[in-house]
Short mmCIF file of all heavy atoms in Angstrom, two decimals:
data_model
loop_
_atom_site.label_atom_id
_atom_site.label_comp_id
_atom_site.label_asym_id
_atom_site.label_seq_id
_atom_site.Cartn_x
_atom_site.Cartn_y
_atom_site.Cartn_z
N PRO E 168 -4.70 -22.51 42.68
CA PRO E 168 -3.79 -23.14 43.55
C PRO E 168 -3.95 -22.64 44.96
O PRO E 168 -3.91 -21.31 45.07
CB PRO E 168 -2.45 -23.14 42.88
CG PRO E 168 -2.65 -22.88 41.51
CD PRO E 168 -3.84 -22.13 41.47
N GLU E 170 -1.58 -21.88 47.09
CA GLU E 170 -0.62 -20.86 47.42
C GLU E 170 -0.89 -19.49 46.66
O GLU E 170 -0.10 -18.55 46.93
CB GLU E 170 0.83 -21.40 47.06
CG GLU E 170 1.07 -21.53 45.53
CD GLU E 170 0.71 -22.97 45.03
OE1 GLU E 170 -0.18 -23.66 45.64
OE2 GLU E 170 1.18 -23.40 43.97
N HIS E 171 -1.79 -19.40 45.81
CA HIS E 171 -2.14 -18.14 45.17
C HIS E 171 -2.77 -17.30 46.19
O HIS E 171 -3.89 -17.60 46.73
CB HIS E 171 -2.92 -18.42 43.90
CG HIS E 171 -2.13 -18.94 42.84
ND1 HIS E 171 -2.68 -19.01 41.46
CD2 HIS E 171 -0.89 -19.46 42.72
CE1 HIS E 171 -1.64 -19.62 40.74
NE2 HIS E 171 -0.64 -19.82 41.38
N THR E 172 -2.34 -15.97 46.23
CA THR E 172 -2.82 -15.10 47.21
C THR E 172 -3.45 -13.84 46.59
O THR E 172 -4.19 -13.13 47.23
CB THR E 172 -1.54 -14.51 47.97
OG1 THR E 172 -0.59 -14.04 47.04
CG2 THR E 172 -1.01 -15.48 48.94
N TRP E 175 -5.15 -10.90 39.61
CA TRP E 175 -4.82 -9.58 38.85
C TRP E 175 -5.24 -9.61 37.44
O TRP E 175 -5.58 -10.69 36.90
CB TRP E 175 -3.26 -9.55 39.06
CG TRP E 175 -2.41 -10.68 38.73
CD1 TRP E 175 -1.76 -11.71 39.49
CD2 TRP E 175 -2.02 -11.04 37.41
NE1 TRP E 175 -1.19 -12.48 38.76
CE2 TRP E 175 -1.23 -12.29 37.46
CE3 TRP E 175 -2.20 -10.62 36.12
CZ2 TRP E 175 -0.71 -12.97 36.32
CZ3 TRP E 175 -1.68 -11.23 34.97
CH2 TRP E 175 -0.97 -12.42 35.17
N HIS E 199 5.33 -15.42 33.67
CA HIS E 199 6.42 -16.05 34.24
C HIS E 199 6.34 -17.64 33.98
O HIS E 199 5.23 -18.19 33.85
CB HIS E 199 6.35 -15.82 35.69
CG HIS E 199 7.63 -16.32 36.48
ND1 HIS E 199 7.75 -17.46 37.18
CD2 HIS E 199 8.84 -15.57 36.78
CE1 HIS E 199 8.94 -17.51 37.75
NE2 HIS E 199 9.60 -16.33 37.55
N GLU E 200 7.41 -18.28 33.90
CA GLU E 200 7.48 -19.71 33.38
C GLU E 200 6.88 -20.66 34.61
O GLU E 200 6.66 -21.88 34.29
CB GLU E 200 8.89 -20.25 32.98
CG GLU E 200 9.89 -20.26 33.97
CD GLU E 200 10.74 -18.99 34.00
OE1 GLU E 200 10.31 -17.91 33.43
OE2 GLU E 200 11.90 -19.08 34.43
N THR E 201 6.58 -20.09 35.68
CA THR E 201 5.84 -20.81 36.74
C THR E 201 4.37 -21.10 36.44
O THR E 201 3.63 -21.94 36.95
CB THR E 201 5.91 -20.18 38.20
OG1 THR E 201 5.57 -18.84 38.05
CG2 THR E 201 7.32 -20.29 38.82
N TYR E 202 3.87 -20.37 35.35
CA TYR E 202 2.49 -20.59 34.96
C TYR E 202 2.42 -21.51 33.95
O TYR E 202 3.24 -21.64 32.96
CB TYR E 202 1.99 -19.10 34.36
CG TYR E 202 1.54 -18.19 35.43
CD1 TYR E 202 2.36 -17.27 36.04
CD2 TYR E 202 0.21 -18.20 35.93
CE1 TYR E 202 2.04 -16.46 37.01
CE2 TYR E 202 -0.12 -17.38 36.94
CZ TYR E 202 0.66 -16.48 37.49
OH TYR E 202 0.38 -15.48 38.50
N PRO E 203 1.36 -22.42 33.95
CA PRO E 203 1.18 -23.29 32.89
C PRO E 203 0.78 -22.45 31.60
O PRO E 203 0.16 -21.43 31.66
CB PRO E 203 -0.10 -24.17 33.31
CG PRO E 203 -0.70 -23.48 34.45
CD PRO E 203 0.36 -22.46 34.97
N ARG E 207 0.21 -16.20 26.55
CA ARG E 207 -1.31 -16.08 26.42
C ARG E 207 -1.60 -15.10 25.33
O ARG E 207 -1.35 -13.97 25.48
CB ARG E 207 -1.86 -15.65 27.73
CG ARG E 207 -1.49 -16.48 29.01
CD ARG E 207 -2.13 -17.87 29.01
NE ARG E 207 -1.73 -18.69 30.20
CZ ARG E 207 -2.10 -18.65 31.36
NH1 ARG E 207 -3.24 -17.78 31.61
NH2 ARG E 207 -1.68 -19.33 32.33
N GLU E 218 -5.50 -13.42 35.95
CA GLU E 218 -4.92 -14.64 36.46
C GLU E 218 -4.88 -14.48 37.95
O GLU E 218 -5.08 -13.38 38.62
CB GLU E 218 -3.55 -14.78 35.94
CG GLU E 218 -3.38 -15.80 34.86
CD GLU E 218 -3.63 -17.31 35.38
OE1 GLU E 218 -3.79 -17.46 36.55
OE2 GLU E 218 -3.57 -18.20 34.60
N THR E 219 -4.61 -15.55 38.69
CA THR E 219 -4.28 -15.55 40.02
C THR E 219 -2.79 -15.87 40.34
O THR E 219 -2.12 -16.38 39.40
CB THR E 219 -5.10 -16.56 40.91
OG1 THR E 219 -4.83 -17.78 40.41
CG2 THR E 219 -6.56 -16.16 40.83
N GLY E 220 -2.15 -15.55 41.41
CA GLY E 220 -0.81 -15.89 41.58
C GLY E 220 -0.39 -15.48 43.01
O GLY E 220 -1.12 -14.93 43.80
N TRP E 221 0.92 -15.60 43.18
CA TRP E 221 1.60 -15.16 44.47
C TRP E 221 2.77 -14.20 44.32
O TRP E 221 3.17 -13.64 45.35
CB TRP E 221 2.14 -16.43 45.32
CG TRP E 221 2.96 -17.40 44.46
CD1 TRP E 221 2.54 -18.50 43.82
CD2 TRP E 221 4.35 -17.16 44.24
NE1 TRP E 221 3.60 -18.96 43.18
CE2 TRP E 221 4.79 -18.25 43.47
CE3 TRP E 221 5.36 -16.30 44.73
CZ2 TRP E 221 6.15 -18.44 42.98
CZ3 TRP E 221 6.60 -16.41 44.27
CH2 TRP E 221 7.05 -17.36 43.44
N GLY E 222 3.28 -14.09 43.21
CA GLY E 222 4.47 -13.30 43.01
C GLY E 222 4.39 -12.22 42.01
O GLY E 222 3.53 -12.40 41.00
N GLU E 223 5.25 -11.25 42.17
CA GLU E 223 5.42 -10.12 41.04
C GLU E 223 6.47 -10.57 40.07
O GLU E 223 7.48 -11.33 40.43
CB GLU E 223 5.74 -8.91 41.72
CG GLU E 223 4.83 -8.40 42.68
CD GLU E 223 5.12 -6.79 43.14
OE1 GLU E 223 6.23 -6.55 43.07
OE2 GLU E 223 4.20 -6.27 43.74
N PHE E 224 6.20 -10.20 38.87
CA PHE E 224 7.31 -10.56 37.79
C PHE E 224 7.04 -9.63 36.65
O PHE E 224 6.12 -8.88 36.56
CB PHE E 224 7.13 -11.98 37.35
CG PHE E 224 5.81 -12.39 36.87
CD1 PHE E 224 5.52 -12.48 35.51
CD2 PHE E 224 4.83 -12.76 37.77
CE1 PHE E 224 4.32 -12.87 34.98
CE2 PHE E 224 3.55 -13.09 37.28
CZ PHE E 224 3.26 -13.11 35.90
N GLU E 225 8.01 -9.78 35.52
CA GLU E 225 7.80 -8.91 34.45
C GLU E 225 7.00 -9.67 33.45
O GLU E 225 7.38 -10.85 33.10
CB GLU E 225 9.33 -8.77 33.77
CG GLU E 225 10.38 -8.07 34.67
CD GLU E 225 9.94 -6.75 35.17
OE1 GLU E 225 9.52 -5.89 34.34
OE2 GLU E 225 10.15 -6.41 36.30
N LEU E 247 4.49 -6.58 36.82
CA LEU E 247 3.24 -6.91 37.53
C LEU E 247 3.31 -6.56 39.00
O LEU E 247 4.27 -6.95 39.74
CB LEU E 247 2.93 -8.39 37.44
CG LEU E 247 1.72 -8.90 38.17
CD1 LEU E 247 0.43 -8.26 37.51
CD2 LEU E 247 1.63 -10.36 38.20
N LEU E 249 1.72 -6.41 42.64
CA LEU E 249 0.69 -7.00 43.67
C LEU E 249 0.47 -6.33 44.92
O LEU E 249 -0.53 -6.29 45.49
CB LEU E 249 0.98 -8.54 43.89
CG LEU E 249 1.08 -9.53 42.74
CD1 LEU E 249 1.33 -10.95 43.24
CD2 LEU E 249 -0.07 -9.40 41.80
C1 LIG P 171 9.42 -14.01 42.72
N1 LIG P 171 10.69 -13.76 40.77
O1 LIG P 171 10.09 -14.91 43.20
C2 LIG P 171 9.37 -13.83 41.23
C3 LIG P 171 8.66 -15.03 40.54
C4 LIG P 171 6.49 -16.09 39.95
C5 LIG P 171 5.01 -15.79 40.20
C6 LIG P 171 7.11 -14.78 40.68
C7 LIG P 171 2.17 -18.35 40.22
C8 LIG P 171 2.61 -19.27 39.18
C9 LIG P 171 1.73 -20.56 39.31
C10 LIG P 171 3.02 -17.13 40.42
O2 LIG P 171 2.55 -16.15 41.03
N2 LIG P 171 4.24 -16.95 39.91
O3 LIG P 171 0.72 -20.68 38.83
O4 LIG P 171 2.39 -21.54 40.04
O5 LIG P 171 8.58 -13.38 43.41
#
Side-chain angles (χ1 to χ4, degrees):
E170 67 273 19
H171 285 193
T172 51
W175 52 260
H199 194 264
E200 63 263 23
T201 47
Y202 280 90
R207 309 286 177 88
E218 256 294 357
T219 59
W221 51 263
E223 300 187 343
F224 58 94
E225 305 296 319
L247 177 70
L249 302 185

